[in-house]
Amino acid sequence: MANSASKASNFPKLVSAGADAVIVYLGEGISVSVNQQVLAAVKAVEEQLSDVVLDLVPSYNSLMVYYDVLRTDEPEIRERLRKTLSDLTSDDQELTGKHHRIPVYYDESVGPDLARIAETNNCSVDDVIKAHTEQTYRVYAMGFAPGFAYLGEVNEKIRTPRLDNPRKRITAGSVAIAESQTAVYPSSSPGGWNIIGRTSTQLYDPSSGTISPLNVGDEVEFYSVSKEQFVDDGGDTETLS
């Protein structure tokens, strides 16, 4: 207990991130409770420091704070952040995001790593699909590409390491697994995650006015659809090697 208390006392931790940014660490690892604290911090900082903050980027256990160097400096922003975070209560952390249901066509034609994941984990392809669809995932972070949401956590039965040799091109809409996380590639790009299927849902549309319908703190549920439904919904059947 003493060790846990000691770890907790180390947070929040503020670290310089260049000439115009500070990273606020609120915990370690992948944790719903810590991620809730991050969301609470976002809300509080938006309310209390809007006069000097330019942008906020929440992640698993941290919050990147970009500030206006013409209106404040690092010592002042650090002091204001500490004050704002110290005023947070447990009620501030009861934040809920949106719930999204995403259809997926699970098949080796669009999910070339599906059979290998099953073999690696000593189960069937149907078992992989069942394990992937029976979980509700939390959006813990956004990046590395616009609209790319890191979702966790994947059932231990199907957790699989990243590919040793990343693919040069992965089709937009590809649903993937890497270790304890799952994600959808919102646009065509290189990538090293294990591809298990594809969705017709568009998760990156700059013309819509928002980068993605997903935000940190949201929940995502995947469900299986037939090839016919996938195609009817506008899904791309391009084979991924």
Side-chain angles (χ1 to χ4, degrees):
M1 292 294 290
N3 188 42
S4 298
S6 176
K7 284 186 177 181
S9 66
N10 292 330
F11 301 101
K13 182 189 301 181
L14 277 63
V15 177
S16 178
D20 64 347
V22 172
I23 302 177
V24 181
Y25 289 97
L26 292 154
E28 298 176 325
I30 300 177
S31 163
V32 171
S33 62
V34 172
N35 197 240
Q36 284 288 83
Q37 292 178 46
V38 172
L39 295 183
V42 169
K43 184 173 182 291
V45 172
E46 286 177 339
E47 292 175 350
Q48 302 297 323
L49 283 78
S50 61
D51 59 319
V52 295
V53 168
L54 299 176
D55 194 18
L56 298 173
V57 182
S59 188
Y60 295 91
N61 50 35
S62 65
L63 176 63
M64 177 82 83
V65 180
Y66 291 94
Y67 57 90
D68 187 343
V69 296
L70 298 179
R71 296 187 175 185
T72 189
D73 56 20
E74 185 167 327
E76 181 182 358
I77 195 73
R78 280 173 173 263
E79 181 179 349
R80 292 186 64 182
L81 283 169
R82 289 194 182 95
K83 173 63 169 63
T84 299
L85 297 174
S86 67
D87 289 341
L88 291 180
T89 67
S90 58
D91 290 340
D92 294 319
Q93 297 170 28
E94 297 300 319
L95 301 174
T96 57
K98 294 181 180 179
H99 186 88
H100 308 265
R101 296 187 76 243
I102 297 179
V104 180
Y105 172 43
Y106 295 94
D107 188 81
E108 290 180 60
S109 63
V110 292
D113 301 312
L114 193 54
R116 181 175 52 78
I117 289 176
E119 182 179 357
T120 299
N121 291 282
N122 298 311
C123 63
S124 68
V125 166
D126 286 343
D127 290 334
V128 175
I129 297 171
K130 182 176 184 296
H132 191 253
T133 55
E134 68 184 5
Q135 299 279 115
T136 297
Y137 303 95
R138 182 182 180 88
V139 180
Y140 278 103
M142 300 296 294
F144 69 104
F148 191 99
Y150 291 88
L151 313 174
E153 295 186 53
V154 172
N155 191 311
E156 292 183 358
K157 298 176 182 177
I158 59 172
R159 292 183 182 182
T160 308
R162 296 169 187 255
L163 301 177
D164 291 333
N165 298 302
R167 292 183 171 92
K168 294 181 179 179
R169 181 180 180 277
I170 292 176
T171 304
S174 293
V175 180
I177 291 174
E179 301 293 352
S180 64
Q181 299 173 99
T182 187
V184 178
Y185 281 82
S187 55
S188 297
S189 68
W193 290 38
N194 303 278
I195 309 302
I196 61 173
R198 194 174 296 166
T199 182
S200 57
T201 300
Q202 191 169 8
L203 294 178
Y204 174 55
D205 181 12
S207 64
S208 69
T210 58
I211 293 178
S212 172
L214 304 180
N215 291 290
V216 174
D218 285 358
E219 291 185 338
V220 174
E221 176 186 355
F222 295 103
Y223 65 97
S224 179
V225 296
S226 66
K227 181 178 181 179
E228 290 72 23
Q229 185 64 58
F230 174 68
V231 173
D232 286 347
D233 291 340
D236 184 352
T237 58
E238 175 192 11
T239 300
L240 185 63
S241 59

